[in-house]
């Protein structure tokens, strides 16, 4: 996914930019976009607040008028903001750099699944508490890891075979571990879950800093109709892509995961993105599960600690 790229304006042009790059500000530090917009609106009309990167702690505040941005910069840069809990903000003037002709245009990042209008996509914020998150991280650390090329995994219930991209239903590994019992109970009791389930498969993925996911649709026969994904230890931005028939070619025609050979070369594609905060539960079902590729970009410089529990 190509994020919006904001750069410093040329010397002397700062006051001509309506956009501000604001650090120490965003969902990762407890400040939602609407709260940020409200705080900055005292300086003039705010067109929008956008994620500056995948950290969740840096945003772009875009004003209608450059003078409003400059007033906010003078008043708030390196100073406590009383409307944001006294948090000190680190601000610089920025301008939007047009995307490279070799890449794809950026997409807005939503905070709620309903904003994406993808049938079958749900995001439950704060599905577990911070204490529960720490307990889960400690529990999985004692598990048996399998090392892959860019990450390591644990399998419970049924083992996913990466060579065939499927599971052997004749090789049952046993019941799911006790450390996820409260998660399974919470799922079963949730009035927002579309159907009652008998969950019998769990994969723990540990993604090192900078490692993401290639655009893909998980094998239908291996994971069936619903996938739950619990984010631990850090935030990320996930992009969803739906390709028009004929605009891309899968690597194989088998039952394996459908991946795109060169996703950035596909012109006929719908793209949407969502911010996944720590402790949130993502549910892929229906159209979101079967028709949309999901994707987390790999980064060489962004330090990301993200684990995904799939049940």
């Amino acid at each position: 996914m190509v994020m919006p790229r904001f750069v410093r304006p040329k010397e002397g042009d700062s006051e001509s930019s309506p956009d501000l790059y604001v650090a120490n500000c965003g969902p990762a530090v407890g400040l939602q976009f609407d709260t940020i917009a409200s705080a900055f609106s005292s300086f003039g009309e705010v067109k929008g607040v956008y994620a500056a990167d995948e950290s969740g702690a840096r945003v772009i505040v875009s004003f209608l008028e450059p003078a409003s941005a400059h007033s906010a910069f003078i008043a708030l840069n390196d100073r406590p903001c009383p409307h944001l809990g006294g948090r000190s903000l680190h601000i610089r003037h920025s301008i939007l750099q047009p995307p490279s002709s070799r890449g794809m245009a950026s997409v807005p990042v939503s905070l709620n699944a309903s904003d994406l209008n993808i049938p079958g996509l749900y995001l439950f914020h704060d599905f577990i508490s911070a204490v529960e998150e720490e307990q889960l991280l400690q529990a999985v650390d004692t598990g048996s890891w399998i090392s892959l090329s860019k990450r390591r995994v644990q399998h419970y219930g049924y083992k996913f075979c990466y060579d065939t991209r499927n599971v052997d239903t004749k090789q049952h590994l046993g019941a799911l571990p006790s450390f996820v019992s409260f998660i399974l109970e919470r799922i079963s009791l949730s009035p927002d879950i579309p159907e009652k389930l008998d969950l019998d498969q769990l994969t723990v993925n540990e993604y090192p800093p900078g490692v993401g996911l290639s655009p893909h649709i998980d094998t239908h026969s291996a994971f069936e109709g619903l996938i739950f994904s619990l984010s631990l230890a850090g935030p990320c931005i996930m992009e969803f892509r739906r390709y028009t028939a004929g605009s891309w070619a899968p690597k194989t025609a088998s039952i394996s995961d459908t991946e795109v050979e060169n996703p950035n070369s596909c012109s006929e594609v719908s793209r949407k993105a969502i911010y996944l905060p720590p402790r949130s539960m993502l549910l892929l079902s229906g159209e979101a599960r079967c028709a949309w590729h999901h994707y987390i970009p790999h980064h060489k410089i962004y330090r990301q600690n993200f684990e995904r529990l799939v049940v």
Side-chain angles (χ1 to χ4, degrees):
M1 176 174 55
V2 181
M3 295 293 294
R5 180 174 175 81
F6 284 79
V7 297
R8 290 181 182 273
K10 294 181 180 180
E11 188 174 354
D13 290 342
S14 294
E15 296 185 25
S16 66
S17 171
D19 302 309
L20 296 177
Y21 176 96
V22 185
N24 197 29
C25 186
V29 295
L31 299 176
Q32 301 304 317
F33 288 178
D34 55 350
T35 303
I36 299 168
S38 177
F40 277 84
S41 64
S42 60
F43 301 96
E45 184 175 349
V46 175
K47 291 194 301 182
V49 177
Y50 314 100
D53 53 33
E54 289 87 349
S55 70
R58 292 178 284 272
V59 300
I60 299 296
V61 178
S62 182
F63 285 93
L64 184 64
E65 299 293 340
S68 301
H70 187 64
S71 296
F73 174 82
I74 295 298
L76 298 178
N77 183 39
D78 291 328
R79 297 180 182 180
C81 178
H83 299 294
L84 295 177
R87 178 172 295 276
S88 293
L89 307 178
H90 310 296
I91 306 174
R92 68 170 185 254
H93 288 281
S94 297
I95 58 175
L96 178 62
Q97 184 181 67
S100 168
S101 59
R102 295 175 295 176
M104 298 180 69
S106 60
V107 293
V109 179
S110 299
L111 297 178
N112 300 297
S114 58
D115 296 337
L116 271 63
N117 196 29
I118 298 178
L121 180 68
Y122 303 88
L123 180 64
F124 308 103
H125 292 262
D126 296 314
F127 192 81
I128 63 173
S129 68
V131 173
E132 291 169 335
E133 177 187 38
E134 183 60 32
Q135 292 172 344
L136 282 173
L137 292 172
Q138 293 177 3
V140 298
D141 275 344
T142 63
S144 179
W145 292 99
I146 300 172
S147 296
L148 304 178
S149 60
K150 293 183 179 181
R151 70 184 191 277
R152 58 180 187 167
V153 302
Q154 295 178 21
H155 297 292
Y156 299 93
Y158 292 94
K159 180 180 178 181
F160 183 73
C161 301
Y162 294 93
D163 291 337
T164 62
R165 296 193 179 275
N166 211 333
V167 297
D168 186 349
T169 56
K170 297 180 180 179
Q171 295 187 8
H172 187 234
L173 303 177
L176 298 186
S178 59
F179 62 77
V180 296
S181 297
F182 77 97
I183 299 177
L184 303 180
E185 181 179 6
R186 200 161 294 171
I187 289 174
S188 68
L189 296 177
S190 174
D192 298 315
I193 302 302
E195 58 185 272
K196 299 305 178 182
L197 305 167
D198 181 18
L199 302 177
D200 60 359
Q201 185 177 1
L202 166 67
T203 299
V204 180
N205 290 281
E206 182 186 59
Y207 295 91
V211 174
L213 295 170
S214 299
H216 72 286
I217 296 175
D218 291 292
T219 312
H220 298 145
S221 57
F223 300 108
E224 298 187 354
L226 302 181
I227 290 182
F228 293 89
S229 179
L230 179 63
S231 299
L232 302 177
C236 74
I237 291 178
M238 178 175 284
E239 182 176 317
F240 293 88
R241 297 178 174 182
R242 182 161 188 172
Y243 298 88
T244 303
S247 64
W248 61 279
K251 288 184 176 180
T252 69
S254 70
I255 58 174
S256 30
D257 294 21
T258 306
E259 295 186 1
V260 180
E261 287 283 2
N262 186 5
N264 286 342
S265 68
C266 301
S267 58
E268 298 179 54
V269 55
S270 297
R271 301 170 63 227
K272 302 181 180 184
I274 191 169
Y275 176 79
L276 303 179
R279 300 180 295 280
S280 64
M281 177 72 83
L282 182 72
L283 169 58
L284 302 180
S285 65
E287 183 178 316
R289 165 75 177 94
C290 301
W292 290 77
H293 291 67
H294 54 280
Y295 165 50
I296 300 173
H298 302 269
H299 291 277
K300 294 182 179 179
I301 59 174
Y302 169 55
R303 294 192 58 80
Q304 166 181 295
N305 185 10
F306 169 76
E307 293 185 22
R308 187 169 66 118
L309 300 184
V310 180
V311 294

